[in-house]
Amino acid sequence: MKVLTEPFRIKMVEPIKMTDEPYRKMALQNAGFNPFLLSSDDVFIDLMTDSGTSAMSQNQWAAIMIADESYAGAKSWTRLEKVVKDLTSMPFILPTHQGRAAERIIYGLLGGKGKVFLANSHFDTTRANIEFTGARAIDLMPEESLDSFKYLPFKGNIDLDKLEIAILEIGAPNIGAIIITVTNNSSGGQPVSMANVKAVRALCSKHGILLILDGCRIAENSYFIKQREAEYSQWSYKDIAKEMLSLADIFVMSAKKDGLVNMGGLLCLRNEELNQKCVNQLIISEGFTTYGGLSGRDMEAIAVGLEEVFESDYLEYRIRSTAYLGEKLKEIGIPVIWPIGGHAVYIDAKKLFPKIPIEQFPGQRLVCELYTVGGVRSVELGSVMFGKNDSSGSLIPASQELVRLAIPRRVYTQSHIDYVVEVFENIKELTTAEKGFKIIYEPPFLRHFTARFEKLYS
Ligand SMILES: *Cc1c(COP(=O)(O)O)cnc(C)c1O
């Protein structure tokens, strides 16, 4: 069958408001031309993130009703702990309110001045939590992966040669950990191969360095491994994930992605001593060990979500529906990162708007056009998010100027996606625009969330 069908039917509906272009122009101006500052009520199709935006299943809602809200030793905790132990083979499981809380705990303990973290790509909150401790975060992507349009089956892989050189130059004792993010969010949602993680594991063992798996999309990564890594073509998605997790010392997960829930996170460890330090931090800032930052109902929903996410009907629909949007955009000439990743379609805004200088943020222009023309909210992943200012205030640009259309799980239907494609077709200066934006306010960390802009075109 060619038609992509959702493997579910709709039992409850959430109305979305339709607005017109003059209304959206005003709303965007009031938001300082930063879609993060828009009211979601003014957004028609929200592709800002796949994080915490999943639709839960009837089984998740049913589990919520039987949750145990006891402070200590709740049944809902026992259920979640069992599911996560089975998946990770790790003995120590800490629940946190979301991924970055787990990051703050672990990088607070492993980081500090003089420490260096090496990763395929550090996600923005990962980098912020590392740099906040005074440590450095270095991305080690292969040069060929930076070619936006080159097909590579595992474009999220870390560069093993660069990694080996970095370990020798920096010295193992100065390395806080090596982090592998699956799928690689900051570089196109691209998968990492099992062979790559195995090779990193070998280097970690050889040099006595910790391996952290930032695996909030580990089910989606498993899909690509089954399709593209011959050795695993007969494995179940869950067994592939288990195999990858067995290679890591520490697992950090934002449950807001493949946990199929709206809030939650996990920090899982093998080392008892390190776990004890993490537990102390957890109790100070998140909560007691059997709930962390979560209520019993959150834990029930995660426990069910972590089972559902590995179902083959779900995963196949999930990855194919993301590819559907990417392929349609490619057909109408939009420069999409190729191949299409798991949770999102990424557009190379520098290629789409070659005349807009990087200092005027071509990605921000696209994000604002998509909202104004169609009420579609997306996010810039370029020099607004990852750029920095040098001491004289000039921009040190990011390595790429991307815009991400993230697909919430089980939320939008094929007709919504067809609408998004039409919005692109209706952008007037698509490809010929010459001007973008200037930042007029920015905070010291994670500036993209609250920055405000001045529009440099009419
Ligand atoms: C979302 C995400 C995080 C942070 O998780 P939150 O739940 O948003 O705090 C960390 N790493 C990656 C790769 C992510 O995608």
Side-chain angles (χ1 to χ4, degrees):
M1 294 290 179
K2 284 215 198 76
V3 176
L4 174 75
T5 49
E6 290 82 14
F8 50 80
R9 54 185 176 181
I10 296 164
K11 187 176 273 190
M12 191 191 287
V13 295
E14 177 185 354
I16 40 181
K17 187 167 92 182
M18 311 198 68
T19 53
D20 59 16
E21 199 164 320
Y23 180 90
R24 292 192 292 264
K25 277 193 168 147
M26 189 58 76
L28 192 59
Q29 189 173 351
N30 291 340
F33 300 99
N34 182 349
F36 277 105
L37 301 177
L38 284 169
S39 161
S40 71
D41 210 29
D42 292 336
V43 175
F44 184 52
I45 306 282
D46 205 344
L47 305 183
M48 170 161 267
T49 178
D50 65 318
S51 177
T53 52
S54 300
M56 289 202 290
S57 68
Q58 58 181 3
N59 287 336
Q60 286 177 296
W61 284 110
I64 280 172
M65 295 306 293
I66 54 163
D68 176 359
E69 302 296 346
S70 304
Y71 192 97
K75 280 200 299 267
S76 301
W77 162 245
T78 314
R79 179 176 187 187
L80 175 61
E81 189 188 31
K82 186 170 176 298
V83 169
V84 180
K85 273 188 176 168
D86 172 59
L87 184 64
T88 61
S89 70
M90 294 185 189
F92 305 109
I93 314 294
L94 282 63
T96 62
H97 80 275
Q98 61 182 95
R100 72 196 66 184
E103 292 180 331
R104 197 188 61 74
I105 292 171
I106 193 67
Y107 297 122
L109 289 167
L110 299 178
K113 264 211 162 44
K115 290 285 180 189
V116 180
F117 290 82
L118 306 171
N120 47 353
S121 307
H122 292 82
F123 181 64
D124 62 350
T125 60
T126 315
R127 175 177 294 280
N129 273 293
I130 288 170
E131 291 178 350
F132 189 73
T133 71
R136 277 197 303 150
I138 302 176
D139 293 348
L140 298 171
M141 293 296 288
E143 292 310 312
E144 58 176 1
S145 301
L146 298 179
D147 178 343
S148 307
F149 309 106
K150 179 171 181 173
Y151 178 90
L152 292 170
F154 293 103
K155 225 173 171 176
N157 283 357
I158 195 168
D159 188 316
L160 294 167
D161 294 334
K162 285 188 188 171
L163 179 61
E164 221 168 338
I165 293 167
I167 293 171
L168 295 177
E169 276 179 2
I170 297 161
N174 301 319
I175 298 174
I178 296 172
I179 304 163
I180 300 295
T181 307
V182 299
T183 54
N184 193 340
N185 189 354
S186 304
S187 96
Q190 300 291 335
V192 176
S193 71
M194 191 73 81
N196 193 247
V197 180
K198 282 189 172 164
V200 174
R201 172 73 261 169
L203 280 173
C204 284
S205 299
K206 181 173 159 198
H207 296 279
I209 300 169
L210 289 170
L211 174 56
I212 299 181
L213 202 68
D214 180 352
C216 60
R217 297 184 184 81
I218 192 158
E220 292 174 4
N221 199 79
S222 299
Y223 176 89
F224 289 108
I225 288 180
K226 187 174 164 78
Q227 304 303 316
R228 297 180 188 172
E229 211 168 350
E231 214 182 318
Y232 297 95
S233 64
Q234 300 305 313
W235 287 47
S236 74
Y237 296 120
K238 193 183 218 170
D239 284 343
I240 292 171
K242 282 184 172 183
E243 173 83 352
M244 186 170 276
L245 282 158
S246 76
L247 301 168
D249 298 300
I250 297 166
F251 176 47
V252 177
M253 181 184 203
S254 165
K256 299 169 72 171
K257 284 75 173 226
D258 276 352
L260 295 176
V261 294
N262 306 117
M263 192 53 69
L266 294 164
L267 173 58
C268 312
L269 306 98
R270 288 189 203 284
N271 182 293
E272 188 165 6
E273 207 181 313
L274 187 56
N275 171 63
Q276 201 48 57
K277 291 182 187 158
C278 290
V279 164
N280 294 339
Q281 290 299 315
L282 183 82
I283 293 174
I284 291 171
S285 63
E286 288 285 294
F288 185 59
T289 51
T290 63
Y291 70 86
L294 300 170
S295 55
R297 51 186 171 270
D298 293 326
M299 297 191 287
E300 289 283 347
I302 299 169
V304 177
L306 283 177
E307 302 278 2
E308 285 179 355
V309 77
F310 290 106
E311 284 167 13
S312 53
D313 284 350
Y314 163 75
L315 260 185
E316 281 153 27
Y317 141 79
R318 166 71 183 156
I319 305 295
R320 275 192 59 204
S321 59
T322 306
Y324 176 84
L325 173 60
E327 283 158 14
K328 290 268 162 177
L329 290 178
K330 191 173 189 224
E331 274 168 32
I332 62 164
I334 307 295
V336 292
I337 302 286
W338 201 254
I340 302 300
H343 67 288
V345 173
Y346 292 73
I347 294 148
D348 187 330
K350 197 157 84 179
K351 290 235 162 60
L352 181 65
F353 293 128
K355 294 182 182 157
I356 301 179
I358 302 301
E359 290 71 25
Q360 293 183 20
F361 308 113
Q364 197 66 18
R365 172 86 192 238
L366 178 59
V367 158
C368 288
E369 291 284 354
L370 288 171
Y371 178 71
T372 309
V373 174
V376 175
R377 182 155 68 170
S378 55
V379 67
E380 193 260 15
L381 289 151
S383 291
V384 174
M385 189 179 274
F386 300 113
K388 291 213 165 90
N389 298 326
D390 68 14
S391 51
S392 71
S394 348
L395 178 75
I396 308 168
S399 57
Q400 288 172 291
E401 301 298 326
L402 304 181
V403 165
R404 184 182 72 185
L405 303 171
I407 317 294
R409 295 170 181 78
R410 307 190 288 210
V411 171
Y412 293 115
T413 62
Q414 188 170 337
S415 66
H416 288 120
I417 299 301
D418 287 335
Y419 169 86
V420 173
V421 176
E422 210 178 316
V423 170
F424 272 87
E425 290 172 323
N426 282 293
I427 295 175
K428 283 191 199 71
E429 287 189 291
L430 193 63
T431 77
T432 58
E434 293 179 3
K435 294 200 164 117
F437 290 88
K438 186 175 130 189
I439 295 183
I440 52 174
Y441 163 75
E442 60 177 301
F445 286 97
L446 301 174
R447 68 175 176 183
H448 54 283
F449 286 129
T450 52
R452 297 183 80 88
F453 299 84
E454 183 186 316
K455 188 172 162 208
L456 302 173
Y457 59 97
S458 56

